[in-house]
Amino acid sequence: MMTTISAPRTRGAGPGRRTSRGNWELYGWVFMRASGVVLLVLIFGHLFVNLVAGDGISAIDFGFVAGKWASPFWQVWDLLMLWLAMIHGTNGVRTIINDYAERDGTRMVLKLALYVSFVVVVVLGTLVIFTFDPCPPNSPADLLPSFCTA
């Protein structure tokens, strides 16, 4: 006797059975394709500016990052890269969890951990990008980088 194994997405689905997801899966699918294209532009632009246009990897240090993040353009560029990469990756892992986590409790715990880690990384990353100050006021001069004026 031969046993067939159903594909991960068809588990529990049968004739006449409707899912409550609506168009969310379609929107997620479209988002993955669109964000992937935008991420390619953002990532290769980031790599070009950081590694090719300047003095290469040897020029990347605290001062280089401070100089880039002094410009609102690069703050927005890095913010878009962070947010799109995190949403893209979270959506991909969510799909994997939905496909392969067999028990509802396991699926719920995994998704909760995924969403909590997403929020932590996005909030902290956003705060770092917009609150980064390489020359904080009232800091001892011996602790400041050389490009800061006393």
Side-chain angles (χ1 to χ4, degrees):
M1 175 183 268
M2 191 109 176
T3 307
T4 61
I5 299 173
S6 61
R9 286 189 178 264
T10 61
R11 187 180 303 119
R17 179 156 173 155
R18 295 185 57 121
T19 62
S20 61
R21 294 184 203 161
N23 285 332
W24 282 108
E25 292 301 319
L26 172 64
Y27 298 147
W29 184 87
V30 170
F31 172 78
M32 291 298 275
R33 273 68 191 164
S35 67
V37 171
V38 174
L39 276 168
L40 281 173
V41 172
L42 290 171
I43 291 168
F44 281 111
H46 174 83
L47 290 173
F48 179 79
V49 167
N50 290 344
L51 301 176
V52 178
D55 294 331
I57 196 166
S58 61
I60 298 176
D61 58 4
F62 184 83
F64 179 83
V65 175
K68 270 185 67 178
W69 281 355
S71 164
F73 175 81
W74 289 113
Q75 285 180 324
V76 170
W77 184 285
D78 285 351
L79 183 73
L80 279 173
M81 197 166 48
L82 168 72
W83 275 68
L84 276 178
M86 287 303 299
I87 295 169
H88 185 94
T90 300
N91 189 39
V93 173
R94 179 195 60 83
T95 301
I96 292 170
I97 291 170
N98 283 339
D99 284 352
Y100 292 104
E102 303 234 350
R103 297 186 195 141
D104 289 338
T106 304
R107 192 176 308 114
M108 183 184 68
V109 168
L110 289 172
K111 282 181 169 179
L112 180 65
L114 175 66
Y115 296 148
V116 167
S117 60
F118 167 81
V119 168
V120 167
V121 170
V122 166
V123 167
L124 289 178
T126 302
L127 283 173
V128 166
I129 289 171
F130 286 115
T131 62
F132 180 76
D133 184 7
C135 306
N138 302 324
S139 294
D142 60 331
L143 296 179
L144 291 174
S146 61
F147 56 82
C148 293
T149 58

